[in-house]
Amino acid sequence: DAKTTQPTSMDCAEGRAANLPCNHSTISGNEYVYWYRQIHSQGPQYIIHGLKNNETNEMASLIITEDRKSSTLILPHATLRDTAVYYCIVKYSNKLVFGAGTILRVKS
Amino acid sequence: NAGVTQTPKFQVLKTGQSMTLQCAQDMNHNSMYWYRQDPGMGLRLIYYSASEGTTDKGEVPNGYNVSRLNKREFSLRLESAAPSQTSVYFCASSVTFEGELFFGEGSRLTVL
């Protein structure tokens, strides 16, 4: 089973890039890496996902190492509204299994 | 579009009572899911339905039953509520089993 390891919490200055790391050393060749975030007690929100290549969308960029054992989510210009819990997820037995995530605090 | 709608948003039960959480999506998605989230923890999958007419157990199915009533609706039933089932319950849906999940706003359940 592919599981993920993330730091418990991180701080980031407003306007700076937030780089959130994730280790997934047991990932299988055909498993995607997904990122979601949860603001307060709202339902989680999809951010981005990828398999091998780096991905970018309007919210963030996802950098996956060549050996696929780790990845980094990049929020290029963090704002106070990006304060949330960020979950890095690899599918386990065909199901999205959420870990504890990283609490990102964006500070002014 | 409303997206994923959960009812009720809040509920207080006594131990042993039963109740059903309702979930409906208007995005014509094939797959639907029920998660629970305990304070300070990530989400844990209770049950899921990869497509209409199928349901499967997730990580923590004990004490729950589900029904995929039709393509739009996926309900979660607690037959005999226990204090350990106090949690926030999230319903989600996706176009396919591999796709992005869209979550509802959650249902906050307290069992006394």
Side-chain angles (χ1 to χ4, degrees):
Chain A
D1 55 325
K3 294 183 179 174
T4 62
T5 304
Q6 299 178 254
T8 303
S9 64
M10 295 180 62
D11 291 338
C12 177
E14 188 177 21
R16 303 298 295 269
N19 297 281
L20 290 89
C22 179
N23 288 321
H24 32 79
S25 57
T26 58
I27 192 170
S28 298
N30 60 348
E31 290 179 323
Y32 283 79
V33 179
Y34 294 81
W35 283 85
Y36 284 75
R37 73 180 183 183
Q38 188 175 25
I39 298 173
H40 278 302
S41 301
Q42 298 175 17
Q45 176 190 23
Y46 166 84
I47 301 172
I48 200 168
H49 74 282
L51 182 63
K52 294 181 182 178
N53 300 320
N54 298 338
E55 302 286 346
T56 295
N57 63 20
E58 64 278 5
M59 288 182 68
S61 295
L62 174 61
I63 308 298
I64 302 174
T65 58
E66 193 168 343
D67 62 8
R68 303 209 329 118
K69 293 185 177 182
S70 65
S71 61
T72 300
L73 178 74
I74 301 172
L75 307 178
H77 305 288
T79 71
L80 298 178
R81 289 176 294 180
D82 291 322
T83 292
V85 179
Y86 287 77
Y87 297 101
C88 169
I89 306 160
V90 176
K91 276 196 173 181
Y92 164 55
S93 295
N94 246 354
K95 297 178 281 291
L96 277 181
V97 177
F98 287 73
T102 296
I103 300 171
L104 176 68
R105 299 184 186 91
V106 180
K107 300 184 175 182
S108 58
Chain B
N1 287 345
V4 178
T5 304
Q6 296 182 226
T7 55
K9 289 185 169 45
F10 300 93
Q11 183 72 48
V12 178
L13 291 177
K14 295 181 180 178
T15 297
Q17 287 185 316
S18 62
M19 77 157 298
T20 299
L21 298 176
Q22 306 286 355
C23 176
Q25 51 90 9
D26 61 2
M27 297 175 283
N28 200 35
H29 285 174
N30 291 303
S31 303
M32 298 185 73
Y33 314 78
W34 276 106
Y35 286 87
R36 63 175 284 176
Q37 185 173 34
D38 299 328
M41 297 181 65
L43 283 76
R44 291 184 291 171
L45 182 63
I46 305 171
Y47 271 94
Y48 65 99
S49 172
S51 60
E52 187 178 357
T54 69
T55 61
D56 285 288
K57 295 179 180 179
E59 300 173 79
V60 288
N62 291 344
Y64 305 94
N65 287 303
V66 290
S67 295
R68 184 75 183 265
L69 304 170
N70 47 55
K71 191 171 186 179
R72 290 187 63 248
E73 298 171 289
F74 189 39
S75 63
L76 178 72
R77 183 161 179 83
L78 287 70
E79 290 291 352
S80 179
S84 61
Q85 294 177 305
T86 293
S87 191
V88 180
Y89 291 84
F90 289 99
C91 178
S93 70
S94 61
V95 174
T96 66
F97 199 52
E98 297 292 325
E100 168 190 349
L101 296 183
F102 291 81
F103 283 84
E105 288 302 309
S107 297
R108 286 150 182 80
L109 175 65
T110 300
V111 183
L112 302 175

